[in-house]
Every structure is written in structure tokens, then in C-alpha cells.
Amino acid sequence: MKPRVGFFDFTGCEGCQLTILNLAEKLLDVLDLVEVVEFREVQGNCNEDLDIAFVEGSICRPDEEKRLRLIRTRSKKLITLGACADLAGINIAHEEAGGAELAMAVYGSDSKHLQGGQARPVSAIVPIDGRIPGCPVDGQEFLAILHALLLDRPTNLPAFSLCVECKLAELPCTFEQGIVCLGPVVRAGCNALCIEGGDRCRGCRGLVDNPRESSYHRVLETFNLSVDDILEEYRTYNLRIDEE
Amino acid sequence: MRTTQAPTSAAAESSTWRALSRVEIDLFVRSMMTAYEVVGVQKKHGRMTMDKVEDPSELLLEFPPQVHSPKKFLFPNWQKLFRFSLGGKVYLEADKAAVPRVIFGMHPCDLHAVQVLDDCLFEGEADSVYRSKREATLLIGVDCLPDEHCFCSSVGTDRTDSGFDLFFHRADEGYLVQSGSERGEALLRRHAPQVAKRDEEAPLPLQVKPCEHQLDFAVDALAPLLGDVYDHHLWKEIGERCLGCGACTLLCPTCYCFNVEDRMDDDLAGGERVRTWDSCQFDHFTRVAGGRDFRSDQADRQRHRFFRKYKYLWEKHERTACVGCGRCSRECLANIAPVNVLNRLFVEEASPELKALPANEYQPDMVEIIAVEDLTNQDKLFRLRLNTPIHFTPGMFVAISIFGLGEAPFTIASSSDDDMHVEIVVRAKGALTRALHRLQPGDSVGLRGPFGHGFQVEDFAGRDLLLVAGGLGLVTLRSLLLSLLADRQSFGTIQLLYGVRNMDHMLFQKELLEWHGSNQLDCRFAFKEPGNSWGVPTGDITHLFRNLDLQPQRTSVAVSGPAGMYRFINPLLLRMGVDEEALFLNLERHMKCGLGKCGKCRINDVCVCETGPIFPYSKVKHLKEAIER
């Protein structure tokens, strides 16, 4: 019997599930390997036991928390899918900006339907068995993690920083242009997609396991960033650092 | 299968040189493209990178050193070792042969880097995956101009006459192609026959590259230097700066450490075992099963990188594994630059024999004059503030210099208890001493030293002391006296006999009066010339011995005066029963260098600046030149 897999989404844009659908032919290979029993982007809900649950989105409301706990109890492995599930993503930014003002600015007085609460990562509610980081996730990395799960191998992510992928791609360093980049402390695995596209790294894949924060902050200080500026850099994707 | 043979032959016995134009190079490349994949530096997406050449006219032969290294074609980051398929029996597929390739655009440092890779990967069980690529690849060198990160000239990789198949040198009009192997010659014959048939040109001399970044020492001093600095605090400092990003090793043209892993096909039916670049700077590099990390500290990782480049591989292959290309420092956000690191280690740690800097030991330290006092009409006392403490014993000397006028030795006049100041007495006699007399507090002079061997004051403990000074000889004995008085209770009676020409030549008059009036010592003076206000009897210093109260067995004697004085004083003292071992003479000579080298201060075969100028009589009595006869 093929392993049974479910995809679940909470607060988020569902872009990660779309990325998986965009794997196109490769997805057909996946469908040979597993049985997808739940996938909201494709088909509806059922309540069977699962071998692997992929969870997208951050957890914002009590009912989401309850649903997540139920998914956990019926899944052998629970893997977060994307930055919202991994880090609470950019959903947590509204707390900084002030939720009520934001709602007013976007929806005016017609915002009664909004039920947002404090955004939390999945791991703050239930134990997880692995993560696929990124905003959105990288399709190839999703496949690699799925393969690892099917072969019962560790679901390791690259342990090195994004700088590695910039060097391998022979991309000029963002800092060279006087632009601050989170690359030196952020986990590689995206093939420096944003840098290739002319942007800087904003940290959607989270910090490496052992970020050299003091060395990195020393570099930032040479670019005249204050402590507040540095903290602000980490805020977009809710990266946890030692605020010393 | 064992081989250590590198495919590119060493320097071609008869290297040929032929002129050709850029247009002919384009034709040559176009012709090669029919048989090889030609890679070279081109501008793509606004930056220069080495890649497959599609249009020969876009191939750049002059490009800056920051272009990434050609390592990626010989030892790529992603290298399939073999394929396997799962399901039932595991099936291994043999790999296809490497693509025949020409790398057109190897800077001299990168050619040297290939030699390092050869050393490491052909050693022992040769790496066949590397070898297949290496054998299928022809290397064409081009020249370069160093930038501010390059230090190839310090490690001898700024030029090469071997390790390439062809080398294109820029010439006044067009280029000169130099052959470096039979394969290179054949390449030229087949793909540029008109050039190969051409008359040979005269070879260009190998040019030394102008690098502004330089090691302060010879590269072969590095391995022994590093042996002494394993625990140096600099590693910790670098470790704290390092981001651990590994860029230094990824960009290095000689780093080849790798990881091996299985990458599955999408359908999980099979996969590849691949080799990927790894880095000693990464967290997982030295981690073992169970999670233990044998090199978890970034400082240790950085040290390992340096030791590997400059020590371990040097000792193994007698070739530095760093080719000075500067790629690591060029793209290091933490600005960790090998030249700076190594120069700092060298300056802080190098032992004197390692210091190859010319004239370093001859170079004085600039010290400030903080006080000048007139002792007589022709003698001044200078008090100098030292930059670093010195240890000396009375009788030792320093070399004082004024640039333009030279350097001369001066005995130290001050107490050895003060290690941050030195006093010297200068009599205006020659150009240097007259110039010294013109200096004021706040001015600086050069100082080297202290040099020589002085009085061992601690050996005088419990003994009576007789100090016999003639003329300027008092300067040395003042230092001794001050040191004795600083610990007065340790010694028996102290007597000072001072003979001088007249009152006008009498040094330290104020101090002498003070001492004379104190009960710390017995001072007696003799003036050679008649008439003085102190009521001192006229006569030479021997008069002072007449009614001397001396217990010879418990007395140590120090004599310091003009050369002629010893001739009379020594017999006198020995007749009184003073022990030869307890009679110390100050035999100053022209101690020019202070290092035992210049030969000017030798008394027969004894070097004064090394074993003197303070000698026990027993040590010099046999020396014909020691005492004026």
C-alpha cells in the first residue's frame, strides 16, 4: 500500500501548495509513489489516518489550533510547508503594525469578517517531524524531503548559509552594492533565487542552525546599521535572534 | 590502479613562440569548437564568468582576477560518481567518458592551482573521476594584471613556464602563443596550421607581477612559523569575525574537500551518487554519527584552513597550496585576508632567526629625551624615556643614533632598577656627540640595546665594595653605585675612589657631595691638576690607595677608567691581596654593532659586546690586548 499523504492549509496564501501543483510532470511521479488523500487545492476533506501531513500556513485562531491538533493525532509524520507554518511568516508582521489600524487601512469599516489573532508557527502548537522552508517552498526541495521521508532518511536541510549558493552561482555580493542582505545567516536551499532576480535576501527560509550573529552584526555595523535597523531586518520573516 | 602522473607534461623541452593576431585566435577557437567544448571568460548578464564559448569573438583574453576559478570544470561542485537503480538487484552503471574540453583562459595562479589539485588528487589512489576530466582537458594560459587582493608574487605563482598546453602572451601587436606541451603543439598544428607553420619568435622574459599586497617574509618561512603559532590569540579573533559562510573555500582554486551523497530520481527507481563541494568552515564538516563535532569552533576551523594551505600541504608536497589569487579575501564579508593574517602572525611571533627583514636588528627604536643636565662644560646627562621596558645590569651599554651622523655606544649611567628610563653621559667630542648636545627635552634619538654583559650586583651581596673610577669611567660606576645604594643593607663597606683631571672635569659633583656627606659610602677624590676649591690634594688616583682601609679577602673591586689606568691599578690591587676573581675591569672598546658581528670591539679573540665590557681580571689577564702595557 502506498503511503497516504495529506496537505492542509491554515493562515497563508496557499502559494506553497500551488508550487507543488506547478511541479507538473514531476508531480505525476509523486502520485505514483504516494496516495494523496487530502489536498484542499484539489479535493475536499476526509478524516483518515495519514502517513505524512504537510501543513501550510500559520496558526492564528483557536479553531485553527484545534484543527491542527486533530491533524497531528491522525498523522505519523507532520511536516511544515513554507515560511508561514515554519516561522509564522509575514502574518506576524501585522502585530508590529497594529492589527486594528491595518484592518482599517485595507478594509475600512467593513472588516467585521476578519478573525485574525496572533500568528504562530506550527511548532508552537504541536511537535513537528520536519520542515520545508521558504516563501514559497522550493519544489525540488519538497521532492527531496518527500523522498527522504519515503526512504526513511533524515529530512536534512542545507546547514550552510545562502552565501554558498551566491558563490556557486557566481552572483556578485549584494553587500558590494551597499545593500544589506540576510544571506550570511539564512539557510541556503533556494539557489539564491532573489539575489539572481536582483533583490536581496529577506530571510524567508529562516536562520541557519548556527548563525554567526555577532560576526554578522559587525558587518552590518560597517554599513551603519543601528541595533533597531538590524532587528528590523530580522522582522520580515519573524527570525528569532538573541537581542543582546 | 596507482598513478601519480599528471597528464599535462612538465615544461616542454623546446617551447615554441609564434606571433598571431586576435582574428587568428578567433579562427583558432572556432576550429577547436568542432572537436572540443571550449570554455573561456565572457561577459554574461553584466558580469564576467567562465562558460562555454558560443561566439569566439566574445571570448575575453584579458580579464580581472576576480573571475571565479576554472576549478569548476576540472573538479565541479556536482560530480556524478556513478548511477544506480533500485528495485530488485542494485544495478551500477558505468559513467560516460569526460567531455573533451579546452579551458581557454587560465591565469598563471590558476595553472599553479591545477598543480596543487594534481598533487592532492593523484596522490596514492588516483581520483579517477578527476583524472578523466583532467586528461580530457587542455589548458590554455593567458596573462593577467593583479588587483589589490592578489599576492601571487609573494608565493611565486605570478608566472609559470609549465603546467599549460598553450599560453597566450599579449605582445605589442597581437599575441605570442607559447607552446607548453606536445598536446599544445598538436592543437596549434591542427586548428591554426598557418600559425604553426610560421617562423618562431624570440621568447618573452617571465615578468614579475606588481602586487601591492605582499608577505613580509619568504614563503618558505611559513610552515615553521605556523608551527609556533598554533595557540595564537589571532585565531580566536578571526574565529569571532568569521561568518562561517565558506566562501573562502568555495572560491579557492585549490580547495577540493567534498561530500558524497545519494540523489534520487523523482520516481525513486534509481539515483546518482554525487560528489559535492564541502567546506572545513561548515557546521557539519567534522560532525560524526552521534552528533559529536571534532572541530566545532570557528577559530579552530579558520586555523585549520590556514594550516592546510600553508603548512600541512607544504610539508607534504613542497608547494604552497595557496596560489595567492586573493579570491578568498576579495569576497570575504568579514575581511579575513591571508596576507594580513600571516604578516601579523609573523610580526608578533616570528623568532629572531626567522626575521628575514634586512637591518631589523640594526634599526633603532626612537626614544624621547625627557631631561638634559649639564654635568660639566663638556659633559651632559641625558635622560631617555623608553617605549618598552628593558632589563640591564650596570656596565651594559646602549647604542644611540642620530640619523645622518650615525650611531655610537654609550654606557648606561642610571640605576638598573628603573627599566623604563635610561641615562647616558655624553661628552661633546665628535659630530654625533656635539649634535646630541644640541638636543632638548622633547627631542628624540634612536636607541638600540641594551647590549653587553655587566656587573652581577647580586654576587656582591655581603661583600665590601671598592669602586675605582678614572675620568669618564665614573659613568659606569655611577650605575653600579646607584644599584648598590638601592639595596644598601645587602653590602658591607662601600668605598669610591675617583680620580679626575680637575674640578672642571668632575662629573656628578652634586651627587658626589651628597654621597660624601652621607654615611652610606666613603668617597675619596684625586685631582691631577693643582688648585681646586674642594681642598682635594693634587696627584693621580694611586695616591688614594695609600691609606686605604681594605680587607682584601672580602672586597670586590670594580675599576673603570681610561685604558692607561688599569696598568697601574691592577698590580696595586693584586699586591694588596685582592682576588683575581673579585677584580672587575670595565674594558670598553668600539662596540659598534652590539651584536657580536662587526668585529670592532674584539680583544684578541674575545668579543667585548658579548662577554664584556665588564670582565673579571682572571678572564682577561692572558689577553695581550686587554690591558695597555
Side-chain angles (χ1 to χ4, degrees), chain B residues 176-247:
Chain B
L176 279 178
V177 56
Q178 176 191 5
S179 66
S181 72
E182 186 39 50
R183 287 173 87 197
E185 286 274 9
L187 195 69
L188 207 58
R189 277 199 300 274
R190 178 172 307 172
H191 297 289
Q194 77 288 2
V195 177
K197 273 182 247 159
R198 210 161 275 167
D199 288 343
E200 288 187 30
E201 302 282 331
L204 292 175
L206 285 174
Q207 285 171 305
V208 181
K209 294 278 156 57
C211 288
E212 53 183 272
H213 238 53
Q214 295 276 4
L215 293 179
D216 289 342
F217 49 90
V219 66
D220 50 9
L222 254 175
L225 166 71
L226 288 175
D228 293 336
V229 296
Y230 192 87
D231 294 315
H232 197 279
H233 59 86
L234 185 57
W235 303 122
K236 187 167 176 284
E237 196 189 305
I238 294 173
E240 282 165 4
R241 267 162 59 200
C242 178
L243 291 155
C245 72

Side-chain angles (χ1 to χ4, degrees), chain B residues 420-550:
Chain B
M420 281 310 292
H421 298 91
V422 154
E423 288 174 353
I424 56 166
V425 175
V426 180
R427 174 165 292 177
K429 275 267 189 185
L432 178 72
T433 48
R434 282 200 302 273
L436 279 168
H437 269 235
R438 287 194 289 272
L439 297 180
Q440 304 288 325
D443 292 337
S444 290
V445 291
L447 179 143
R448 288 192 306 129
F451 299 119
H453 183 84
F455 295 103
Q456 302 305 301
V457 177
E458 60 277 12
D459 293 349
F460 298 150
R463 291 181 65 83
D464 293 344
L465 271 303
L466 173 65
L467 278 48
V468 184
L472 274 173
L474 179 65
V475 178
T476 304
L477 295 189
R478 179 195 184 234
S479 174
L480 174 61
L481 197 50
L482 289 172
S483 300
L484 294 172
L485 293 178
D487 188 22
R488 181 65 190 88
Q489 72 283 357
S490 297
F491 311 100
T493 62
I494 300 177
Q495 298 183 82
L496 170 67
L497 312 181
Y498 178 29
V500 67
R501 188 181 302 168
N502 56 37
M503 192 80 182
D504 293 339
H505 283 75
M506 196 179 193
L507 303 169
F508 300 112
Q509 294 184 9
K510 218 174 114 203
E511 275 170 84
L512 287 171
L513 271 179
E514 268 172 37
W515 289 330
H516 189 59
S518 76
N519 53 6
Q520 300 208 327
L521 71 157
D522 174 13
C523 294
R524 301 178 186 199
F525 313 116
F527 291 153
K528 230 171 181 174
E529 294 170 0
N532 63 76
S533 58
W534 281 19
V536 172
T538 305
D540 71 38
I541 194 167
T542 52
H543 288 86
L544 299 177
F545 285 80
R546 278 185 192 152
N547 48 3
L548 204 58
D549 181 17
L550 190 80

Side-chain angles (χ1 to χ4, degrees), chain B residues 566-625:
Chain B
Y566 299 94
R567 191 164 24 136
F568 306 105
I569 302 292
N570 292 343
L572 211 58
L573 288 164
L574 295 169
R575 262 205 306 278
M576 290 167 81
V578 171
D579 198 296
E580 287 185 355
E581 300 287 339
L583 171 56
F584 295 90
L585 311 176
N586 179 20
L587 300 180
E588 290 176 0
R589 296 292 187 270
H590 191 174
M591 299 157 302
K592 190 70 187 173
C593 74
L595 304 163
K597 300 277 191 293
C598 74
K600 295 168 87 80
C601 66
R602 281 181 183 273
I603 299 174
N604 297 114
D605 60 340
V606 172
C607 188
V608 172
C609 72
E610 281 184 332
T611 47
I614 308 302
F615 295 96
Y617 177 78
S618 58
K619 286 269 171 62
V620 291
K621 65 176 184 180
H622 64 286
L623 298 176
K624 304 274 191 209
E625 293 181 340

Side-chain angles (χ1 to χ4, degrees), chain B residues 200-410:
Chain B
E200 288 187 30
E201 302 282 331
L204 292 175
L206 285 174
Q207 285 171 305
V208 181
K209 294 278 156 57
C211 288
E212 53 183 272
H213 238 53
Q214 295 276 4
L215 293 179
D216 289 342
F217 49 90
V219 66
D220 50 9
L222 254 175
L225 166 71
L226 288 175
D228 293 336
V229 296
Y230 192 87
D231 294 315
H232 197 279
H233 59 86
L234 185 57
W235 303 122
K236 187 167 176 284
E237 196 189 305
I238 294 173
E240 282 165 4
R241 267 162 59 200
C242 178
L243 291 155
C245 72
C248 49
T249 60
L250 299 171
L251 296 171
C252 177
T254 70
C255 271
Y256 62 90
C257 289
F258 56 85
N259 196 15
V260 176
E261 49 192 312
D262 289 352
R263 299 290 170 108
M264 302 307 296
D265 298 341
D266 290 335
D267 60 5
L268 289 189
E272 295 173 348
R273 182 151 298 175
V274 295
R275 160 154 85 190
T276 56
W277 289 351
D278 208 338
S279 169
C280 55
Q281 305 304 306
F282 288 167
D283 284 330
H284 59 256
F285 189 72
T286 45
R287 196 171 294 159
V288 295
R292 173 144 187 219
D293 188 343
F294 283 92
R295 205 182 298 123
S296 60
D297 194 276
Q298 202 61 34
D300 296 338
R301 294 176 188 172
Q302 276 290 341
R303 176 182 54 212
H304 184 74
R305 170 167 90 94
F306 277 85
F307 271 55
R308 198 112 154 108
K309 291 283 165 232
Y310 302 106
K311 181 173 167 65
Y312 302 150
L313 287 173
W314 170 275
E315 286 164 354
K316 219 169 167 188
H317 302 302
E318 289 166 341
R319 193 201 307 272
T320 164
C322 166
V323 295
C325 69
R327 288 185 177 98
C328 56
S329 64
R330 206 173 280 119
E331 298 198 29
C332 179
L333 269 176
N335 293 320
I336 298 170
V339 171
N340 298 346
V341 170
L342 298 171
N343 281 345
R344 230 186 100 185
L345 286 175
F346 180 77
V347 167
E348 288 181 14
E349 288 301 323
S351 51
E353 62 271 20
L354 266 178
K355 290 203 173 182
L357 285 180
N360 198 42
E361 65 279 23
Y362 294 99
Q363 205 169 301
D365 201 16
M366 296 311 291
V367 299
E368 189 190 343
I369 298 169
I370 54 167
V372 182
E373 187 188 330
D374 288 321
L375 294 179
T376 69
N377 283 336
Q378 68 271 29
D379 301 299
K380 285 190 182 193
L381 178 77
F382 291 86
R383 188 168 171 78
L384 310 173
R385 180 166 50 217
L386 306 173
N387 304 321
T388 47
I390 60 171
H391 177 72
F392 66 94
T393 52
M396 287 171 71
F397 63 96
V398 289
I400 299 293
S401 46
I402 292 183
F403 299 114
L405 294 173
E407 186 180 52
F410 291 87

Side-chain angles (χ1 to χ4, degrees), chain A residues 95-109:
Chain A
E95 281 165 44
E96 282 297 321
E101 288 101 273
L102 268 185
M104 191 64 193
V106 178
Y107 295 97
S109 58

